[in-house]
């Protein structure tokens, strides 16, 4: 069974600085998707970034980028120029490409605080 | 374009009762999935529907059930409520099974 681990329950970053959130996962599959979701205090989950496992190039989305290491099964999120609005819970998630396993598995989350 | 709408937003029920939660996906989205979020267990997958068919189900007891209608709207039902069912229930919709999922704001269920 697939698992997703986030080893940092809480992190903090100074405004305008860069922070990296860690995520590791375990799977025997070769085709899958990885996601980072953000959940602010409003509780609505927002997709931050998505990576297809078959793509070697790391995904980027404005100030957000990932470091995807398929062999190491690592998928970290880097937030550059941190802003107060980035404060939230961040969840790393895995989704199998196979139709029979297309449920999303979430990690336990990392609570990010942004210090003004 | 309207987002995913979940109703009601908040709900208080008594142990032993049953509850039905509703999710209206984004127009054109055919896939709807449900998740339970609790402080202790985190986010756990409940089930996913695509074109009125349940495609996958998480490890939850049979008291948890769901369905999807022809207009893609989905409902989930929990019977014989237990205190441990208190949680935030999130619904997400996507165009297809491998496309981006958009989440609703959730329904906060409290069982007393």
């Amino acid at each position: 069974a697939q698992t997703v681990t986030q080893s940092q329950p809480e992190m903090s970053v100074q405004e305008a600085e860069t922070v990296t959130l860690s995520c590791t996962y375990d799977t025997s599959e070769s085709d899958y998707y990885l996601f980072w979701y953000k959940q602010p205090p409003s509780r609505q989950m927002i997709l931050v970034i998505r990576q297809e496992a078959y793509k070697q190039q790391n995904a980027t989305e404005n100030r957000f980028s990932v470091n995807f290491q398929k062999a190491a099964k690592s998928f970290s999120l880097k937030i550059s120029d941190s802003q107060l609005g980035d404060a939230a819970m961040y969840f790393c998630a895995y989704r199998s490409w196979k139709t029979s396993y297309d449920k999303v598995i979430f990690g336990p989350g990392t609570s990010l605080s942004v210090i003004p | 374009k309207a987002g995913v709408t979940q109703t009601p937003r908040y709900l208080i029920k008594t142990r032993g009762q049953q509850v039905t939660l509703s999710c209206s996906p984004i127009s054109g989205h055919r896939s709807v999935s449900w998740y339970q979020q609790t402080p202790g267990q985190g986010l756990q997958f409940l089930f996913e529907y695509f074109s009125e068919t349940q495609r996958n189900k998480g490890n939850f007891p049979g008291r948890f059930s769901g369905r999807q209608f022809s207009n893609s709207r989905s409902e989930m039902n929990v019977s014989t409520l237990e205190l441990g069912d208190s949680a935030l229930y999130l619904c997400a919709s996507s165009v297809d099974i491998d496309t981006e999922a958009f989440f609703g704001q959730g329904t906060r269920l409290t069982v007393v």
Side-chain angles (χ1 to χ4, degrees):
Chain A
Q2 296 86 5
T3 58
V4 177
T5 303
Q6 292 176 251
S7 59
Q8 308 149 316
E10 297 180 350
M11 291 197 71
S12 62
V13 61
Q14 292 279 350
E15 194 176 3
E17 295 297 308
T18 295
V19 64
T20 299
L21 308 184
S22 301
C23 171
T24 58
Y25 58 96
D26 188 28
T27 183
S28 59
E29 299 174 335
S30 58
D31 294 319
Y32 48 86
Y33 303 91
L34 294 165
F35 309 87
W36 277 99
Y37 280 94
K38 168 185 176 181
Q39 188 178 41
S42 68
R43 308 301 285 177
Q44 181 155 17
M45 297 281 282
I46 302 165
L47 178 65
V48 174
I49 202 163
R50 155 186 166 142
Q51 174 83 41
E52 289 87 350
Y54 67 85
K55 290 184 179 178
Q56 293 186 338
Q57 187 173 6
N58 290 325
T60 61
E61 196 70 42
N62 300 315
R63 298 183 294 107
F64 300 88
S65 62
V66 297
N67 184 4
F68 173 49
Q69 301 289 328
K70 190 173 184 179
K73 296 179 183 175
S74 171
F75 183 61
S76 61
L77 174 70
K78 185 171 83 171
I79 306 174
S80 304
D81 186 26
S82 296
Q83 301 175 359
L84 295 178
D86 295 333
M89 280 290 288
Y90 286 81
F91 294 95
C92 178
Y94 170 101
R95 180 170 189 163
S96 171
W97 182 79
K98 294 181 180 179
T99 55
S100 61
Y101 294 99
D102 53 3
K103 60 183 181 182
V104 182
I105 300 169
F106 287 88
T110 295
S111 178
L112 178 67
S113 302
V114 180
I115 304 165
Chain B
K1 200 173 192 181
V4 178
T5 303
Q6 291 187 247
T7 57
R9 291 289 310 281
Y10 302 91
L11 205 50
I12 300 175
K13 289 287 189 178
T14 304
R15 269 184 304 176
Q17 286 186 313
Q18 76 166 21
V19 67
T20 299
L21 311 183
S22 179
C23 173
S24 293
I26 293 172
S27 177
H29 287 196
R30 295 182 295 170
S31 177
V32 173
S33 52
W34 289 88
Y35 298 84
Q36 181 196 64
Q37 186 175 24
T38 59
Q41 299 297 318
L43 273 156
Q44 293 186 285
F45 170 80
L46 279 158
F47 24 65
E48 180 173 22
Y49 288 88
F50 182 80
S51 294
E52 300 180 68
T53 301
Q54 186 179 89
R55 297 176 52 86
N56 213 339
K57 190 177 192 300
N59 296 322
F60 279 82
R63 300 184 297 105
F64 290 81
S65 63
R67 59 179 175 169
Q68 186 181 32
F69 301 96
S70 58
N71 62 358
S72 293
R73 190 177 70 85
S74 178
E75 289 182 346
M76 67 163 281
N77 183 277
V78 187
S79 62
T80 319
L81 284 165
E82 300 177 359
L83 295 179
D85 297 333
S86 295
L88 179 69
Y89 289 88
L90 293 167
C91 166
S93 78
S94 57
V95 173
D96 209 328
I97 60 169
D98 62 348
T99 54
E100 178 182 346
F102 294 84
F103 283 79
Q105 291 189 287
T107 293
R108 170 74 67 185
L109 172 65
T110 302
V111 182
V112 298

